[in-house]
Amino acid sequence: MDRFPLNPEQRAAVEHGDGPLMVLAGAGTGKTRVLVQRIAQLVERGVEPWGILAVTFTNKAAGEMRHRLRGLLGEAADAMWIGTFHATCARLLRRHAERVGLTRSFTIFDDDDQVKLVEKLLKEHGLDDQVSPRTVLGRIDRAKNRNEDPRKLKVGVFDDVIEQIYPLYQAQLAKENAVDFNDLLLKVLELFAADGVGNRLRTRFRHVLVDEFQDTNRVQYDLVTRFAAASRNLTVVGDDDQSIYAWRGAEPRNLLDFDRDFPDAAVIKLEHNYRSTQTILDAANGIIRHNRDRHEKALWTDRTGGDPIELYQAGDERGEAYFVAQSIRRLLDEGPHSPNEIAILYRTNAQSRVLEEHLRAARVPAKVVGAVSFFERREVKDVIAYLRLLQNGSADSAFERVVNVPARGIGDATVDRLRAAARAHGTGLLEAARLAARGEVAGIGAAPRKKLHGFVELIDGLADVVAAGASVAETIIQVVDRSGLRAKLEADDSSESRDRLDNLAELVSTATDFDDMETDEVAGTSGRWTLDDDVVETESGAEERAEERGDGEGPRAGVAGFLERISLAAPADQAAVREQVVLMTVHIAKGLEWPVVFLPGLEDGLFPSLRERDGTSEDAALEEERRLAYVAITRARQRLVMTHARTRMQWGKIQIQTPSRFLDDLPAATLATSVRSSRPQVPRGPRIVDGNFAPRRPNRFGRGSGARPRDELDQRDDYDEPVYSVEDAAGSAPTRGPFSIGAAVSHVLFGAGRVVAIAGTGQDQKATVEFANVGRKTVFVHYLHAGDDSLN
C-alpha cells in the first residue's frame, strides 16, 4: 500500500492500537495525513471499513479525507462513515426518523428559514418591536449547543419572549416535518435512549475518529463519547491553540480535559510544521505562548529563516487598503505569484468594503468569501423553496415564500385566511389552498380562488415531473419555466435581472454536477461489497445487514439529497472558480493556507476585539483573540504582511487607533521594520470614484464641528492629487533634492521614475513623477532619492 513518509510522532499516532488517543496537532503538522493513514492501518489490521466513523467540521475536509483514502484503499473508503457532524447525524436520522417523531423525508431549516419563521412568530404575537429574530435564535442556539431548554436559561432580558416563542418555534418545525441544525444532533442523542436503536448505535462503530476536536460543543462531545462507549476506541485530533469558536458554543475544555475524562488515553504532540517558514512560526509562537490555558507546545520546521514579516502603519483605513491593493498589484505584475496564492484575512466583515474598493481600482481580481453566499441569494432561495414544497407539502414556510413569487396576485389577506383554514382543519397551507381552490374556505372570493387554483395546479404539475423520474437539474428548469420566474426576469431586462438569471443558470449547473455525482455513486456501489462470499443485500428486508456494512440509507439522491447537500454547505466550502485573491475573516480561513497572506487592522479594539462577551471573562476573551491571531499568522506559507492604521472612521467619526498589543509579542528577529514609527509609513489613500482612484480636493472642513477633520490627524490635504510619503526600510530619511524637471529619481514604494513637474517650496515641496512601474504619482520631494539616470 502506498505510504507517505511519517515523522516519529506521526508514526506513533498512526500505529496506536486500541483505546483512547489524543493527538495534539499544531497548525500545519500533517494531521490529515495522520488521520488518513491511521484509518488505512486500521483496515489493514482487519477493522471493517463500515465500522469506522470519521467526523470533521467541513464538507471540504471530509471530501479531502475520503479522496485520500480512496487512493489508499480503493472502494473500501466508500463504505466508511466520513462526514461532518451534521451530515452524519442527518444520515442516521433518515434511517430512524420515526423513532424521534419525524418521517424520512424531513427537511432541514437553514439560517434564512429559521429567521423567517421566528420573524413571523414575533409578528403574529406583537413582539416584533421588542426583539429581533436573530436575538431570539441566538438564545435558542446557545441553549441547544449545551443540550438545555432555552426557556430555563434565565438572563433577565427577553426571558418572557423566549418563554413564549420557543415552544411555537419547535411546534412549527414539527408541523413541517423539519429540523434546525441543532436538532439534527439532539435527535440523534434521543436515539441513544430509544429501545433497541440506542444499543445498536453504541456498538455500531469499532473506531471513532474526530478531527478539530477543540471546536466541539457539549452536544457533539456527548455524541462521540456515546458512539465510542462500547469500544472505547476514540481518537481525537485537535489543537487547543486554534480553538476560536467559543462564540458559537465550542468548548475548548473538551480537548484540554480529554486526558482527565479518559485517564488511560495516549497523548501525542505533533509540532513539526510542514507549511510555514521558521520566521512565521516564531511569530505565531511568540504570540500564543502568552496564553495560560493551553497544552505546552511550540511549532518548528526544517525550513529555517524565511522572508521577514512586513509591518506597515497607514494614516487611515483608506491608506491601508491602498497599500494592500498596490502591494498585491505589484506581486501579480512582478511574479511569481498568481491571484489565488494570495489572501487578505481580517477580524470583522466590515473591513472588507474599503479593501474591495481599492482592489477593484487596482484591477486586482478578488472574491469575498463568506458574504452573501450563492445559496442565500433571493432568486436561488425562491427556487429552493419550490423544491422544498415539492419534497414536503407541509413546508408552510416554503409555501409562504413562493405562493406569490413571481407576483400572481395572492396577497397577505388571502394567506391569512389560508392560515386560519389550516389551523381549523389541522393541515398545512398547501392543503388549505386546495380547499380554497374548491371553494371550501370562507372569505376567499372568486378572483383569489382562481389564482390559488393555478398555484395548486403548478405544484401538482411539478410533482408529476419529479414522480416521472426527472433529474434535479431538469426539475429546477421546470420550476423556473412553469412558475414564470424566467419570463419575469427576461421581461425586466435589467442588469440585476440578468444577474439573477445567471444565478439560476448556475443553480442548474450545480444540480447537474449533483446528478452526475449521484449517477457515478450508484454505478460504483452496485453489488461491490462481499464478506465471506456473502453478498450484501440491499432490499428492504435486509436493511439491518446492509447497515452493518455501511450501505442502506447512504447519501440521498434526487431532490431530497440535493436539498440536504445545500443545507449543509458552509462558507468555507465556497470555491473560487477562477484565479482571484480571496478576502475572508480569520474564522472562515481556519484550515486553509496561502503562500502570501495580508493581515490588515492590527489595532487594539479591532484585533484583538475588546468587546465584552456574555458569560466570558475578560482574560478568557483575550486568550481567544490571541488564538485567533495565531490561526491568522499560521495561514501564511512564505510571506506575511501585517498592517494597521493610525486613524479609522467609525460611526461617522475619526477615531485614533492604538497598534495591536499582539504586535509587541512578535520577536524582533522576525520583523522587517520597526513596529511603531513616529509618523505613518503610508498616509491615507485616495478616494475611489466610479471604481477608480480619484484626485483629492482641498479640504473644506469647518473648524466648528465636534468631529476632528482628517487633515488635523493625518497628512496635509491641500493638493489635487494623492501624495504618498513612505519611510525606507531602515527608517532613515532618504537623500533629498533639489531635483529639476527631467531628473532621475527613485522612491521606496514606487521604484524608479523621472520628475515631470515641481510645485511648492521647503518641506511642502512636491514632485510629480512618472514612475516606470506604477505611472504618474505626486510625492513629497523629501521622500525621493537621486536615481540612476541610466535606468530611466
Side-chain angles (χ1 to χ4, degrees):
M1 184 177 295
D2 245 348
R3 296 289 187 198
F4 292 102
L6 298 171
N7 65 41
E9 292 76 23
Q10 289 175 330
R11 183 167 300 282
V14 167
E15 295 180 351
H16 174 78
D18 289 346
L21 168 67
M22 176 169 67
V23 180
L24 297 172
T29 57
K31 67 180 177 65
T32 302
R33 175 184 299 182
V34 168
L35 275 170
V36 166
Q37 297 214 27
R38 175 159 172 74
I39 292 171
Q41 182 129 138
L42 289 173
V43 173
E44 281 190 326
R45 294 208 315 255
V47 178
E48 299 89 346
W50 50 83
I52 295 173
L53 169 63
V55 187
T56 68
F57 270 86
T58 68
N59 296 317
K60 181 178 179 181
E64 173 67 15
M65 187 180 297
R66 189 179 294 278
H67 174 74
R68 292 195 195 184
L69 283 166
R70 279 177 179 148
L72 291 172
L73 301 173
E75 290 183 343
D78 295 329
M80 297 173 186
W81 286 61
I82 302 173
T84 64
F85 274 99
H86 293 97
T88 300
C89 288
R91 183 176 172 186
L92 284 168
L93 279 182
R94 297 292 175 195
R95 292 186 170 171
H96 307 292
E98 292 81 2
R99 304 299 296 269
V100 288
L102 297 168
T103 71
R104 291 194 176 195
S105 62
F106 69 81
T107 55
I108 303 168
F109 266 38
D110 63 16
D111 183 70
D112 186 62
D113 299 326
Q114 294 171 50
V115 168
K116 281 184 164 46
L117 172 54
V118 173
E119 186 177 49
K120 184 188 80 165
L121 293 172
L122 290 172
K123 191 172 294 185
E124 287 177 353
H125 292 81
L127 300 170
D128 52 315
D129 59 344
Q130 295 185 32
V131 60
S132 72
R134 291 208 175 273
T135 298
V136 173
L137 285 168
R139 289 275 296 273
I140 293 172
D141 180 67
R142 282 194 295 275
K144 285 187 172 184
N145 281 334
R146 303 170 186 172
N147 197 11
E148 297 174 352
D149 188 329
R151 292 167 293 185
K152 295 181 180 177
L153 289 180
K154 303 296 184 183
V155 298
V157 183
F158 307 128
D159 287 347
D160 55 336
V161 176
I162 302 298
E163 188 82 29
Q164 188 172 355
I165 295 300
Y166 176 65
L168 298 173
Y169 170 79
Q170 289 298 130
Q172 187 63 33
L173 287 178
K175 179 182 176 185
E176 296 196 26
N177 189 34
V179 293
D180 60 20
F181 291 124
N182 296 105
D183 287 341
L184 278 174
L185 278 57
L186 291 170
K187 288 191 176 294
V188 172
L189 276 182
E190 288 181 36
L191 288 174
F192 278 98
D195 291 339
V197 176
N199 190 55
R200 285 171 60 193
L201 291 179
R202 277 185 286 273
T203 58
R204 175 67 182 80
F205 302 107
R206 283 186 57 189
H207 279 267
V208 179
L209 304 95
V210 187
D211 193 12
E212 305 288 6
F213 193 68
Q214 76 281 348
D215 294 333
T216 54
N217 59 34
R218 189 179 302 171
V219 171
Q220 291 161 341
Y221 182 83
D222 288 346
L223 279 170
V224 296
T225 53
R226 293 188 193 193
F227 280 127
S231 69
R232 301 194 79 253
N233 292 328
L234 175 59
T235 297
V236 301
V237 180
D239 182 7
D240 46 306
D241 290 337
Q242 297 187 72
S243 180
I244 60 174
Y245 296 114
W247 53 275
R248 70 180 191 194
E251 298 274 1
R253 300 233 67 86
N254 289 347
L255 183 66
L256 290 168
D257 297 337
F258 184 79
D259 49 354
R260 184 197 67 188
D261 297 340
F262 293 86
D264 57 333
V267 179
I268 297 173
K269 293 182 182 180
L270 303 183
E271 298 170 288
H272 186 173
N273 179 280
Y274 296 91
R275 175 190 299 161
S276 306
T277 65
Q278 190 62 52
T279 297
I280 291 171
L281 298 182
D282 287 344
N285 290 332
I287 287 178
I288 201 62
R289 67 182 176 85
H290 292 279
N291 272 8
R292 296 177 181 177
D293 203 5
R294 62 186 290 259
H295 289 287
E296 187 64 35
K297 52 191 173 300
L299 298 178
W300 62 276
T301 182
D302 296 326
R303 299 173 61 195
T304 58
D307 291 342
I309 295 169
E310 301 169 52
L311 286 165
Y312 293 94
Q313 182 188 51
D316 65 4
E317 70 274 14
R318 281 191 285 156
E320 178 183 55
Y322 180 80
F323 173 80
V324 170
Q326 292 300 317
S327 298
I328 293 175
R329 181 69 268 165
R330 238 180 4 262
L331 284 172
L332 299 180
D333 290 343
E334 298 171 6
H337 297 296
S338 57
N340 60 358
E341 293 180 314
I342 302 171
I344 304 172
L345 310 181
Y346 35 76
R347 178 64 181 82
T348 68
N349 278 309
Q351 293 171 254
S352 68
R353 195 265 315 162
V354 66
L355 289 163
E356 282 185 87
E357 288 181 350
H358 282 77
L359 290 168
R360 193 177 301 115
R363 304 299 185 263
V364 173
K367 171 187 176 66
V368 178
V369 176
V372 178
S373 74
F374 176 76
F375 293 113
E376 292 299 317
R377 292 168 185 169
R378 187 175 75 188
E379 61 280 3
V380 175
K381 290 288 290 181
D382 289 340
V383 172
I384 290 172
Y386 271 107
L387 296 181
R388 284 182 53 215
L389 192 58
L390 291 174
Q391 171 67 18
N392 176 13
S394 299
D396 288 353
S397 56
F399 178 94
E400 291 189 33
R401 183 178 185 103
V402 300
V403 68
N404 200 39
V405 174
R408 48 177 65 93
I410 300 174
D412 290 343
T414 299
V415 175
D416 285 341
R417 292 186 177 94
L418 290 178
R419 289 196 193 102
R423 284 194 295 270
H425 291 83
T427 67
L429 292 177
L430 180 59
E431 187 57 35
R434 294 186 195 282
L435 296 173
R438 297 198 296 264
E440 298 176 21
V441 175
I444 296 182
R449 188 163 62 242
K450 181 177 180 181
K451 293 165 185 172
L452 287 171
H453 179 74
F455 180 74
V456 169
E457 282 196 331
L458 166 66
I459 298 301
D460 288 345
L462 291 170
D464 290 340
V465 170
V466 174
S471 66
V472 179
E474 179 58 31
T475 301
I476 291 173
I477 292 171
Q478 292 294 322
V479 167
V480 173
D481 286 345
R482 296 190 185 198
S483 68
L485 278 169
R486 185 199 296 273
K488 174 68 168 59
L489 292 172
E490 288 177 344
D492 287 348
D493 195 28
S494 63
S495 60
E496 182 183 2
S497 65
R498 286 191 290 272
D499 286 345
R500 290 181 175 175
L501 277 170
D502 288 343
N503 288 335
L504 293 179
E506 180 62 25
L507 181 62
V508 173
S509 298
T510 303
T512 300
D513 291 341
F514 174 83
D515 291 329
D516 291 344
M517 181 176 62
E518 291 302 307
T519 300
D520 291 343
E521 287 186 4
V522 170
T525 56
S526 177
R528 73 176 166 226
W529 274 109
T530 62
L531 187 66
D532 297 330
D533 297 323
D534 178 20
V535 178
V536 174
E537 300 168 84
T538 56
E539 298 297 325
S540 58
E543 178 181 326
E544 191 161 328
R545 295 182 63 204
E547 178 182 336
E548 290 303 311
R549 293 161 171 81
D551 294 347
E553 189 78 26
R556 311 192 74 208
V559 171
F562 182 71
L563 290 172
E564 184 170 299
R565 182 72 55 87
I566 63 178
S567 291
L568 298 175
D573 296 322
Q574 298 177 37
V577 176
R578 52 195 182 90
E579 289 200 346
Q580 296 170 305
V581 173
V582 294
L583 298 89
M584 65 179 74
T585 65
V586 181
H587 283 101
I588 293 177
K590 185 171 173 293
L592 305 176
E593 60 185 73
W594 297 267
V596 181
V597 170
F598 286 80
L599 295 180
L602 270 296
E603 300 141 33
D604 268 6
L606 184 55
F607 200 171
S609 170
L610 301 178
R611 288 184 296 184
E612 291 185 7
R613 305 179 192 182
D614 292 341
T616 303
S617 69
E618 188 176 316
D619 288 345
L622 186 59
E623 290 214 348
E624 174 137 340
E625 290 293 310
R626 198 173 278 117
R627 292 193 293 267
L628 197 60
Y630 172 87
V631 168
I633 291 170
T634 54
R635 299 311 94 197
R637 293 207 296 263
Q638 301 167 12
R639 185 173 179 181
L640 177 64
V641 182
M642 307 172 88
T643 67
H644 57 102
R646 194 159 62 103
T647 69
R648 198 170 288 272
M649 179 75 77
Q650 295 177 5
W651 294 101
K653 295 182 180 179
I654 305 296
Q655 302 290 335
I656 298 177
Q657 300 292 98
T658 302
S660 171
R661 64 192 67 188
F662 295 158
L663 298 179
D664 293 332
D665 298 333
L666 298 174
T670 66
L671 306 178
T673 61
S674 173
V675 174
R676 304 200 180 177
S677 57
S678 58
R679 73 175 70 202
Q681 290 177 295
V682 183
R684 71 184 178 91
R687 294 178 298 111
I688 305 291
V689 176
D690 294 331
N692 293 292
F693 297 119
R696 289 182 176 141
R697 299 302 175 193
N699 189 343
R700 305 303 182 201
F701 240 118
R703 301 294 184 186
S705 64
R708 297 176 68 184
R710 284 187 186 267
D711 64 325
E712 290 184 16
L713 299 171
D714 207 336
Q715 310 299 79
R716 301 163 182 83
D717 199 22
D718 56 354
Y719 45 88
D720 288 337
E721 288 195 6
V723 177
Y724 305 96
S725 59
V726 181
E727 293 178 342
D728 64 10
S732 60
T735 304
R736 299 179 181 177
F739 300 108
S740 59
I741 294 176
V745 295
S746 67
H747 185 278
V748 68
L749 181 62
F750 301 133
R754 192 174 293 277
V755 176
V756 296
I758 298 284
T761 59
Q763 289 286 88
D764 292 335
Q765 189 175 53
K766 296 171 293 213
T768 301
V769 181
E770 188 71 37
F771 290 101
N773 292 329
V774 297
R776 186 166 296 192
K777 303 286 182 186
T778 300
V779 299
F780 287 111
V781 166
H782 56 267
Y783 282 98
L784 291 174
H785 297 261
D788 184 346
D789 217 40
S790 66
L791 299 177
N792 283 272

